[in-house]
C-alpha cells in the first residue's frame, strides 16, 4: 500500500521538496533576534521599515537570507530595499532577487550578503518597503464638510521565514483622531503613534490581522498615468515634457460642492488638494504648464539655488474622485546630462522625476528621443523596466527619423527617482545635415525666383515696356562705363603725383598712353550706347551726349594738369605758379565731375 | 521705416547707385513687407466662432475628408444633433487641413491648433499685399502703398484677423480682392469686353438668386438664417420679429463712437478719396464708390459688418491721402533757397511753399497719430482672448479671471462622458470645444424653437423647469454669473432676451416679458423686483447662497456688483438641482440636475 502511495505522487513533488530543502538549508539556523518595525501611515502611502538583528544559530556559514511579504500586501508593493548596517554607520544596500518558498503564500526576495555570516555571528539589516493604495478610505464617500477616514489592514508581526525572538511595532498616523485599532498585547497610544509589543518568540510566517481606522487628510493624489518624453538634441538642449493624469484617490465627494463653504471655512473640504509643488532640476528653463485647452494661468515658479520649484495649481481643487490632466515641460542644457568620447555618447538622466512629495505613479511611460542617426543603442536602467518596440519620431528637418526608446513600468514611488544611462554612437558629421538642408532649400528657392524673374511668361507683347527695359539696361551700362572713365582720371592723377616725386618720364608716358587707349575704347562704347539709345527713341541719348561733351572738357583738363606737371618737373615753371594753376584746374575739374554726377543721377 | 530711410540716404550718397525704377521697387518691397508682416501674439483662440471652426478642422485632419463630409455631430443640439459636414462652408477647414498636411509631409510638425491660430494673420498679410495691387489698379502705386500700410494696422480689420481669430471673415478679404484686382487688370489691359461679359454673368446670377429668394419668400419657405439677411435690408426687422438675432451684441447697430474707435483717420479721409474717385470716373472708380457706399450702409446696420467697411475705407483713404500728398508735394520747393528763386514767387499763389509744407506736416501728423491710435486700440481691445478676463486690482496689478476654462475643464474631466449640459446658447461652442460634452444649443442658432425651450426652462419656476429639463434629458446646467466680480455680460443681464426668446414660441406662450418687470416697468433683482423673476430658475441658480456673501465693504451681504443692488431673494434652497461646481470667482456656476427620487416622483 505504501509503495502504491509513493507511486501516485508525481516526480515533480520530489523536485519541489528538494527545492524547499535547498532554500531552507541556506537559511537554516537564522533567527531574528530583535526586530523594530515602523509603520509610517502619515501620508497616503504605507511605508514599512524593519530593523532586524539577524543571528546565525546554525552550524554552517550563511551567505544570504530571505525576505517575505504577506500575500495581502504583495500586490501593493511599490518598492523594496534592504541594506546592511555596518559598524561605521555606512549602509550597504543589498541586491534582491525574487524567489519562491514552497508551501507559503506571499512574495519572497533572496538577499545576498556581501560576506557570509559565520555561525554565532550577528548582523543588523534594515528593510524598507513602500506600499501604495494600502490605505482604504472608509467611509468611501464623504461630504464636503466631513473629514477623511481611512483603514489600514496589515500584520502585527514581522512576516519572516525565521523565528523572531523579540519585536516591537510602532505605527505613525496622520492625526490624533483614531476611530479604532486592534488591541493585541495592550498597545500604548500617544498622540499620533501607536506602539505594539514587545512580542516574544514569534514563530516563522506568523500573521495576525492589524486594523487601524483613523483620520488622514493628507493629499490622496495618484498619478494614474504619466508619459515622460525626453528629446535629446546635440545642439545643446534636452527637452523634457510630462503628460500627467492626476486623480484624487481618497474618499469620493458625496453631494454638492459649495464654493461658499470652501472659501469661508478653512476646514471645508480638508481632504481636497488645491496645489502641490513639483521640483525640477536646477537648470530647467522655459517651463510651461498647460493642458488641452491652453495655458494654465494659476501657477508659480520659484528658482532656487539647487532646484526650480513649480507650484502646480490645477484649474480646480481636486476633491475625492475628481481628476485632471496637464502637461508640464521644460528645457535642460545638454552638457549636464550628455557625455561623449569621440563618437561614443552617454546620456544620464532621471528615468522618472519628482511630481509631488510622496508620489505614487500607477503607470509610467518613458519615451527617449535620441538624435537622428544614433546607433548601437544600449540602455542601463536602475531597476527592471519593460521595454516596448522602438519607434521613429519625425520633427523639424528630419529625413529618416529619430530613434525613440519606449519603456513602461507600473507602481512607482519617490524611491524610483533614479538615473538611467543610455549609451549610443553618433557620427558628428550628421550634425551638418540639418543646416545643409536649410541652405539647400533656400538655394532652390532663390534659384527659382531668379529664373522666374529672368524669364518672360507673358503671352502678350508690350512694346513700350520692352523699350523701357532696353533703355534701362543701356543706361545701366552707360552708368558703369562713365564711372569707369572717371576712375581712369583718378588713376592718372596718381600717376602724375608719382611722377612728380620720381621724375620718371617713362612711367608718365606709358600712363598717358594707357589712359588714351582706355579712354578711347570707353568713349567709343559710350557713343555706341548713345546711338542705340537714340535708335530706341529715348531722350536720354541727349543727356548722354551732354555727358560726353563734359567729359571731353574734363579729359582736356586732365591732360593739361599732366602737362603742367611735366613743365614743373622740367623746371619751366615756378612752384608757386604751378600750385595756382593746379588749383584752378582741379576746381574746374570738380565742377565738371559734379555736373556729370548730377546728369548721371538724372539718368 | 528706418531701413527705408537708410536706403534712401544710401542712394543719395551714391553708395547704391540704383536706377529710379530699382529704387522704387526696393521701397515698395520694403513697405509692403512691413505692412504684410503678420500681427502675432498669444497662442490662444479668441473668438467664440473660432472654437467651432477649430473643432471641425481638427476633426477634418484627424478623420479625413469623407468622414468629415458625413459628420453628424451628436454633441450639439441634443437630442436633435446637427449635420455638420453638409451644412458648413468647409473652405477654411480644408485650407488649414491642407496646410497642415503639407507641413507635416515635410516633417514640420506643427500642431493643427497653431495652424488655425496663425491662419488669420497669414491671410491678413496677404490682404495687405492684395490691397496694394487693388489700389494700384484704382490710382497708382503710392496710393496702393498707403492703403496697404493703413490696412496693416486698422483696428476694424485687426479685430478679426489677429492671431487666434479663426474664422471665414478674416481670410475671405484677401481672396475677394484678388478677384477684384484681376478683374480690373483684365479691364485695363483692354479686354473690356470679357470683363463686361463677366459682369453681366454675375449680375444675371445675382438676379436669378434674387428671383429665387423672392419665390421662397412668397412660399414662406425661408430657413431661419435668412433672418440675418432680412435685417440687413430692413434694420428694424430683427428687432420686431426675430429676438434671437437682435439679442446678439454683434448684430446691434453701429454707434458713431465705434466708427472712430475702429477707423479713426479713415473716417475723415474716406470722403476725400470718394471725391477723387468722382473726379476721375472710370469703371474701376465707379465700382469702388459703389462698394464704399454700400458697405458704409451695411456697417451702420450691424457692428459685425465693420469688417466689410474697414478695407474699403483703407483703400479710399489711401487714395485720398495720396492725392493730397501728391498735390502738395509738387508745390514743395525743394531746391536750395537761393535768392533768385524767391524773387520768382508766383504772385497768384503767395506762400505756396509754406502752405505745402504745412499741409504735408499736418498729413504726417495725422498718419502718425493714426498708427498710435491703432496700436493702442489693438492692444487694449482686441488682443486679449475673450475667454480670459482681466481686471485691475486695488494696487494696480492685473488680476486674471480664468474661470471659464476652469469650469469647462472641470466639466471635461469630472462629469460622465455622455452628460448633457444646458446653458444659454452663447457658450455652446466653447463648451463643446473645451469641455467636450453634449450641449443643447449653441452659437449656430439654427433652431429657434430649441433655443426657446432652453429660454423657457431658465425663465420658469424650478418645478416647471424640472419638467423641461427631464424632457430634454439634461444632467448639468451652466450659468454665467458676474455679481461677485462685476462682470456685466452675465446671464442675468442677458435674461430678458431669454424671456423674450422663450416666450416667442407656442410652448412658451405663458412666459410674458412684463411679468419680469416691476409694476413701474423696471428690471430689478432686489426686494422691489417682480416675484416671478425672484423665483425663476435662472435667478435661483445665479444667486444660490450668494445672499451670505459680502462683496463690498459697507454693503449688506448679497450685494450684486453688476446690478448695484442687494438681492431680493436670499434664503432659499434648491429642490431639483444641486450645486456641482462654482469657479473661484463665481463667474461660472454648474448645477447637477437631481434624479427622480426613489418612487419616481418629481422632486417638487
Amino acid at each position: 500500500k505504501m509503495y502504491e502511495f509513493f507511486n501516485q505522487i508525481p516526480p515533480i513533488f520530489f523536485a519541489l521538496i528538494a527545492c524547499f530543502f535547498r532554500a531552507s538549508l541556506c537559511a537554516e539556523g537564522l533567527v531574528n533576534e530583535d526586530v523594530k518595525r515602523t509603520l509610517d501611515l502619515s501620508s497616503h502611502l504605507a511605508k514599512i521599515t524593519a530593523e532586524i538583528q539577524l543571528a546565525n544559530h546554525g552550524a554552517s556559514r550563511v551567505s544570504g537570507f530571505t525576505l517575505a511579504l504577506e500575500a495581502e500586501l504583495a500586490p501593493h508593493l511599490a518598492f523594496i530595499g534592504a541594506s546592511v548596517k555596518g559598524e561605521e554607520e555606512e549602509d550597504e544596500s543589498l541586491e534582491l532577487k525574487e524567489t519562491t518558498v514552497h508551501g507559503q503564500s506571499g512574495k519572497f526576495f533572496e538577499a545576498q550578503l556581501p560576506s557570509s555570516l559565520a555561525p554565532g555571528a550577528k548582523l543588523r539589516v534594515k528593510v524598507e518597503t513602500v506600499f501604495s493604495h494600502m490605505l482604504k478610505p472608509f467611509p468611501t464617500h464623504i461630504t464636503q464638510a466631513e473629514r477623511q477616514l481611512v483603514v489600514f489592514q496589515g500584520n502585527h508581526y514581522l512576516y519572516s521565514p525565521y523565528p523572531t525572538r523579540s519585536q516591537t511595532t510602532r505605527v505613525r498616523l496622520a492625526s490624533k483622531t483614531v476611530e479604532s485599532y486592534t488591541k493585541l498585547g495592550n498597545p500604548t497610544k500617544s498622540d499620533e503613534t501607536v506602539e505594539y509589543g514587545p512580542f516574544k518568540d514569534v514563530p516563522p510566517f506568523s500573521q495576525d490581522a492589524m486594523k487601524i481606522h483613523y483620520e488622514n487628510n493628507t493629499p490622496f493624489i495618484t498619478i494614474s498615468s504619466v508619459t515622460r518624453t525626453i528629446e535629446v538634441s546635440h545642439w545643446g538642449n534636452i527637452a523634457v515634457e510630462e503628460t500627467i493624469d492626476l486623480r484624487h484617490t481618497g474618499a469620493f465627494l458625496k453631494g454638492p460642492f459649495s464654493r461658499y463653504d470652501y472659501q469661508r471655512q478653512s476646514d471645508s473640504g480638508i481632504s481636497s488638494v488645491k496645489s502641490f509643488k513639483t521640483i525640477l532640476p536646477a537648470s530647467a528653463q522655459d517651463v510651461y504648464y498647460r493642458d488641452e485647452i491652453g495655458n494654465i494661468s494659476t501657477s508659480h515658479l520659484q528658482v532656487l539655488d539647487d532646484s526650480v520649484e513649480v507650484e502646480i495649481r490645477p484649474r480646480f481643487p481636486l476633491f475625492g474622485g475628481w481628476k485632471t490632466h496637464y502637461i508640464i515641460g521644460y528645457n535642460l542644457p545638454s552638457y549636464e546630462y550628455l557625455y561623449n568620447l569621440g563618437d561614443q555618447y552617454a546620456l544620464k538622466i532621471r528615468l522618472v522625476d519628482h511630481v509631488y512629495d510622496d508620489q505614487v505613479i500607477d503607470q509610467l511611460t518613458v519615451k527617449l528621443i535620441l538624435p537622428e542617426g544614433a546607433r548601437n543603442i544600449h540602455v542601463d536602467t536602475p531597476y527592471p523596466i519593460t521595454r516596448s518596440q522602438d519607434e521613429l519620431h519625425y520633427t523639424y528637418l528630419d529625413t529618416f527619423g529619430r530613434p525613440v526608446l519606449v519603456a513602461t513600468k507600473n507602481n512607482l514611488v519617490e524611491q524610483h527617482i533614479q538615473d538611467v544611462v543610455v549609451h549610443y554612437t553618433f557620427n558628428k558629421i550628421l550634425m551638418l545635415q540639418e543646416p545643409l538642408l536649410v541652405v539647400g532649400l533656400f538655394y532652390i528657392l532663390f534659384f527659382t525666383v531668379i529664373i522666374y524673374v529672368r524669364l518672360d511668361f507673358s503671352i502678350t507683347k508690350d512694346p513700350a515696356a520692352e523699350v523701357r527695359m532696353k533703355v534701362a539696361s543701356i543706361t545701366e551700362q552707360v552708368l558703369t562705363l562713365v564711372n569707369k572713365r572717371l576712375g581712369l582720371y583718378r588713376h592718372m592723377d596718381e600717376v602724375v603725383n608719382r611722377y612728380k616725386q620720381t621724375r620718371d618720364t617713362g612711367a608718365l608716358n606709358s600712363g598717358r598712353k594707357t589712359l588714351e587707349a582706355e579712354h578711347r575704347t570707353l568713349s567709343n562704347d559710350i557713343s555706341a550706347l548713345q546711338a542705340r539709345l537714340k535708335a530706341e527713341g529715348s531722350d536720354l541719348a541727349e543727356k548722354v551726349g551732354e555727358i560726353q561733351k563734359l567729359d571731353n572738357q574734363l579729359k582736356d583738363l586732365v591732360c593739361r594738369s599732366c602737362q603742367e606737371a611735366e613743365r614743373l618737373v622740367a623746371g619751366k615753371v615756378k612752384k608757386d605758379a604751378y600750385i595756382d594753376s593746379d588749383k584752378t584746374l582741379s576746381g574746374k575739374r570738380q565742377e565738371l565731375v559734379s555736373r556729370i554726377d548730377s546728369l548721371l543721377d538724372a539718368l | 521705416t528706418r531701413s527705408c530711410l537708410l536706403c534712401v540716404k544710401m542712394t543719395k550718397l551714391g553708395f547704391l547707385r540704383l536706377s529710379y525704377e530699382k529704387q522704387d521697387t526696393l521701397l515698395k518691397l520694403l513697405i509692403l513687407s512691413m505692412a504684410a508682416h503678420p500681427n502675432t501674439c498669444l497662442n490662444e483662440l479668441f473668438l467664440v466662432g473660432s472654437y467651432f471652426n477649430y473643432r471641425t478642422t481638427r476633426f477634418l485632419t484627424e478623420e479625413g475628408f469623407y468622414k468629415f463630409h458625413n459628420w453628424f455631430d451628436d454633441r450639439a443640439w441634443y437630442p436633435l444633433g446637427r449635420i455638420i459636414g453638409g451644412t458648413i462652408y468647409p473652405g477654411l477647414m480644408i485650407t488649414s487641413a491642407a496646410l497642415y498636411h503639407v507641413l507635416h509631409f515635410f516633417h514640420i510638425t506643427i500642431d493643427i491648433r497653431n495652424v488655425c491660430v496663425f491662419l488669420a494673420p497669414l491671410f491678413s498679410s496677404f490682404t495687405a499685399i492684395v490691397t496694394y495691387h487693388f489700389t494700384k489698379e484704382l490710382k497708382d502705386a503710392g496710393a496702393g502703398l498707403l492703403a496697404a500700410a493703413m490696412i496693416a494696422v486698422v483696428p476694424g480689420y485687426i479685430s478679426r484677423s489677429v492671431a487666434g481669430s479663426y474664422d471665414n471673415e478674416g481670410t475671405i478679404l484677401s481672396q475677394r480682392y484678388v478677384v477684384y484686382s484681376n478683374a480690373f487688370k483684365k479691364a485695363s489691359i483692354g479686354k473690356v469686353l470679357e470683363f463686361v461679359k463677366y459682369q453681366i454673368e454675375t449680375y444675371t446670377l445675382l438676379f436669378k438668386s434674387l428671383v429665387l429668394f423672392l419665390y421662397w419668400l412668397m412660399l414662406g419657405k425661408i430657413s431661419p438664417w435668412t433672418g440675418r439677411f432680412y435685417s440687413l435690408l430692413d434694420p428694424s426687422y430683427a428687432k420686431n420679429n426675430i429676438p434671437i438675432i437682435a439679442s446678439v451684441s454683434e448684430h446691434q447697430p453701429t454707434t458713431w463712437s465705434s466708427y472712430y474707435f475702429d477707423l479713426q483717420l479713415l473716417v475723415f479721409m474716406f470722403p476725400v478719396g470718394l471725391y477723387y474717385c468722382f473726379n476721375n470716373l472710370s469703371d474701376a472708380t465707379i465700382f469702388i464708390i459703389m462698394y464704399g457706399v454700400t458697405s458704409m450702409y451695411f456697417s451702420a446696420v450691424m457692428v459685425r459688418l465693420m469688417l466689410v467697411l474697414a478695407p474699403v475705407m483703407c483703400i479710399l483713404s489711401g487714395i485720398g491721402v495720396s492725392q493730397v500728398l501728391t498735390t502738395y508735394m509738387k508745390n514743395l520747393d525743394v531746391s536750395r533757397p537761393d535768392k533768385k528763386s524767391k524773387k520768382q514767387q508766383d504772385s497768384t499763389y503767395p506762400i505756396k511753399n509754406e502752405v505745402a509744407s504745412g499741409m504735408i506736416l499736418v498729413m504726417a501728423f495725422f498718419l502718425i497719430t493714426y498708427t498710435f491710435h491703432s496700436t493702442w486700440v489693438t492692444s487694449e481691445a482686441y488682443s486679449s482672448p475673450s475667454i480670459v478676463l482681466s481686471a485691475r486690482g486695488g494696487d494696480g496689478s492685473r488680476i486674471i479671471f480664468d474661470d471659464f476654462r476652469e469650469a469647462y475643464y472641470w466639466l471635461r474631466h469630472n462629469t460622465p462622458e455622455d452628460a448633457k449640459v444646458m446653458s444659454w446658447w452663447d457658450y455652446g461652442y466653447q463648451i463643446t470645444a473645451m469641455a467636450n460634452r453634449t450641449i443643447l444649443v449653441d452659437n449656430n442658432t439654427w433652431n429657434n424653437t430649441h433655443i426657446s425651450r432652453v429660454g423657457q426652462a431658465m425663465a420658469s419656476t424650478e418645478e416647471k423647469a424640472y419638467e423641461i429639463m427631464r424632457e430634454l434629458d439634461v444632467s448639468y446646467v451652466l450659468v454665467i454669473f458676474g455679481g461677485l466680480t462685476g462682470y456685466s455680460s452675465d446671464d442675468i443681464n442677458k435674461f430678458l432676451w431669454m424671456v423674450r426668446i422663450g416666450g416667442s414660441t407656442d410652448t412658451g406662450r405663458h412666459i410674458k416679458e412684463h411679468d419680469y418687470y416691476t409694476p413701474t416697468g423696471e428690471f430689478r433683482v432686489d426686494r422691489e423686483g417682480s416675484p416671478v423673476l425672484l423665483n425663476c430658475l435662472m435667478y435661483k441658480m445665479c444667486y444660490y447662497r450668494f445672499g451670505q456673501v459680502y462683496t463690498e465693504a459697507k454693503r449688506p451681504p448679497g450685494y450684486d456688483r453688476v446690478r448695484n443692488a442687494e438681492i431680493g431673494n436670499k434664503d432659499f434652497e434648491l429642490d431639483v438641482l444641486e450645486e456641482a461646481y462654482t469657479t473661484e470667482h463665481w463667474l461660472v456656476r454648474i448645477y447637477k440636475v437631481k434624479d427622480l427620487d426613489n418612487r419616481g416622483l418629481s422632486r417638487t
Side-chain angles (χ1 to χ4, degrees), chain A residues 255-261 263-264 290-295 297 313 315-317 321-326 394-399 476 479 483 597 600-601, chain B residues 17 19-22 43-44 106-110 113 400 402 405-406 408-410 412-414 433-434 545 548-550 578-586:
Chain A
F257 161 69
S258 167
R259 177 64 75 170
Y260 177 77
D261 291 340
Q263 280 172 338
R264 277 302 125 125
R290 62 195 313 280
D291 58 26
E292 295 113 301
I293 59 170
N295 178 49
S297 46
R313 209 175 132 195
R315 289 189 190 274
F316 42 83
W322 290 10
K323 62 184 171 64
T324 191
H325 170 98
Y326 69 88
Y394 294 94
T395 180
Y396 304 100
L397 300 170
D398 282 348
T399 40
E476 189 98 326
L479 270 177
N483 276 329
D597 269 350
L600 283 180
D601 281 343
Chain B
R17 186 164 266 154
S19 65
Y20 269 116
E21 211 160 306
K22 280 191 181 169
N43 178 13
E44 308 270 344
F106 291 108
H107 294 322
I108 300 175
T109 44
I110 286 178
R113 172 199 192 83
I400 289 179
D402 207 352
R405 288 195 298 180
E406 180 185 339
Y408 297 150
Y409 208 60
W410 183 85
R412 189 188 185 103
H413 284 286
N414 297 303
M434 292 197 165
R545 303 206 68 183
Q548 292 157 276
V549 182
Y550 285 93
E578 170 182 295
E579 187 178 4
Y581 191 75
T582 297
T583 58
E584 195 181 349
H585 306 100
W586 293 52

